Amino acid sequence: MNFVTMLSLLVSSMLIYAAPLIFTSIGGAFSEHAGIVNVGLEGIMVMGAFSGVVFNLTFVNTFGNLTPWLSLLVGGIVGLIFSLIHAVATINFRADHVVSGTVLNLMAPALAIFLVKAFYNKGQTDNIQVSFGKFNFPLLSDIPVIGDIFFKHTSLMGYIAVIFAFLTWFIMFKTKFGLRLRSVGEHPQAADTLGINVYLMRYYGVMISGFLGGIGGAIYAQSISVNFAATTIIGPGFISLAAMIFGKWNPIGAMLSSLFFGLSQSLAVIGSQLPFLSHVPAVYLQIAPYVLTIIVLAAFFGKAVAPKADGVNYIKSK
């Protein structure tokens, strides 16, 4: 394997695994900038993956190659609806944010597998026939060396996720909506005195995180696992949470962190094809993403500064 082929394999695999992490980690950033800690990203991804696969299997003959893209929208909507449980619990009933998010993580896999058995009479779905495959960018893939590495047999969703990170950075830090959202996560009392509806903005933050987390789950199921089972989503939601913290609650930082974690995840799959990793036991490559997640959180969590009112329930009368 020559150097260009090796780089091409690394980049394409990194983008495939990073795309769901990027969407989900950015969703978490929206929620936490609104003041709601969302550790339920894993559960939201599970519901997005489940609904995306079910929609894909059901309507593939109707929509054809458009099916995976519509499945993203369905996964996002289901993730949004599922996240409303967290929003109601934390905003209206002032429940502990971590406990509420943990409930989502415990509820989602059981609910999804129950529905799979009800729909298909078995523990997992069939494999989808139309998924997010490798993509060649017109013209760009013909550029010598650079085209082979970055634009040939690569992940279109990965590039969409990277562009989306820059778009959400602009929305979060350069628009009136982003300013209002961040204000209720920094000082909700001050925001309230300025006429900003704190409860509504917090609902927006959680709902956006649910929508993006559902999309992340649908991407994962339709580009990596290509079906849904109990083991489809195990860990990506927590890795997305770590990527958000490592990225300091910034969409671009979360995107860069997700690329790092996506690369570590992809090495477990392609490591045997790389000369410098071919002799490393597969089990070490498989546990690497989770070990890196622990190391990153241990090393950087104390240095990362969350929004000041993140995780603090707001009571309007005070």
Side-chain angles (χ1 to χ4, degrees):
M1 180 180 292
N2 60 45
F3 184 68
V4 172
T5 303
M6 185 172 64
L7 279 181
S8 175
L9 182 61
L10 279 171
V11 170
S12 63
S13 298
M14 174 185 69
L15 288 172
I16 289 171
Y17 279 87
L21 303 182
I22 292 173
F23 280 99
T24 307
S25 61
I26 290 174
F30 270 101
S31 179
E32 301 215 3
H33 272 296
I36 303 297
V37 174
N38 193 351
V39 299
L41 296 176
E42 178 92 354
I44 292 171
M45 286 189 75
V46 169
M47 296 308 298
F50 161 75
S51 56
V53 168
V54 170
F55 181 88
N56 191 310
L57 290 170
T58 305
F59 293 101
V60 65
N61 293 327
T62 303
F63 299 110
N65 292 332
L66 190 62
T67 308
W69 300 95
L70 294 175
S71 296
L72 294 187
L73 180 61
V74 172
I77 292 173
V78 171
L80 184 154
I81 295 171
F82 192 66
S83 69
L84 286 175
I85 299 172
H86 186 54
V88 171
T90 55
I91 299 170
N92 296 94
F93 295 103
R94 300 167 191 150
D96 183 276
H97 297 198
V98 175
V99 173
S100 176
T102 302
V103 170
L104 296 189
N105 292 335
L106 294 174
M107 182 191 303
L111 175 61
I113 293 301
F114 170 79
L115 293 175
V116 166
K117 290 183 177 180
F119 294 161
Y120 302 101
N121 294 317
K122 55 183 179 179
Q124 65 181 41
T125 68
D126 297 326
N127 289 348
I128 59 175
Q129 302 302 312
V130 181
S131 61
F132 293 114
K134 297 293 182 70
F135 182 79
N136 292 326
F137 284 89
L139 301 178
L140 294 175
S141 61
D142 297 327
I143 300 173
V145 182
I146 294 177
D148 291 332
I149 296 173
F150 294 102
F151 303 116
K152 186 177 291 184
H153 303 302
T154 189
S155 169
L156 177 60
M157 283 307 308
Y159 282 98
I160 291 175
V162 170
I163 294 171
F164 181 75
F166 287 95
L167 175 63
T168 52
W169 176 87
F170 180 83
I171 292 172
M172 189 173 289
F173 293 99
K174 299 296 181 180
T175 66
K176 183 184 293 185
F177 172 81
L179 176 61
R180 290 181 174 181
L181 186 78
R182 289 184 292 116
S183 70
V184 303
E186 291 289 343
H187 203 305
Q189 287 83 3
D192 198 359
T193 59
L194 293 174
I196 298 173
N197 190 326
V198 175
Y199 296 142
L200 180 62
M201 294 307 298
R202 289 193 164 186
Y203 260 97
Y204 283 154
V206 176
M207 291 165 66
I208 291 172
S209 75
F211 183 75
L212 295 180
I215 287 178
I219 293 173
Y220 193 97
Q222 295 182 101
S223 59
I224 298 172
S225 68
V226 299
N227 72 350
F228 182 83
T231 57
T232 297
I233 302 292
I234 297 182
F238 297 111
I239 293 176
S240 298
L241 190 64
M244 177 199 68
I245 296 170
F246 190 25
K248 297 184 177 179
W249 291 267
N250 185 301
I252 296 177
M255 177 266 292
L256 294 174
S257 301
S258 296
L259 289 173
F260 168 74
F261 286 119
L263 178 61
S264 69
Q265 282 188 297
S266 68
L267 291 179
V269 178
I270 65 172
S272 60
Q273 304 176 49
L274 303 174
F276 60 93
L277 290 176
S278 59
H279 300 295
V280 178
V283 65
Y284 294 140
L285 296 176
Q286 291 168 358
I287 66 173
Y290 309 103
V291 174
L292 287 173
T293 302
I294 295 171
I295 293 173
V296 165
L297 287 176
F300 293 96
F301 185 73
K303 300 177 182 178
V305 180
K308 292 182 180 179
D310 191 20
V312 179
N313 292 324
Y314 177 65
I315 302 175
K316 188 176 177 65
S317 60
K318 288 189 176 181

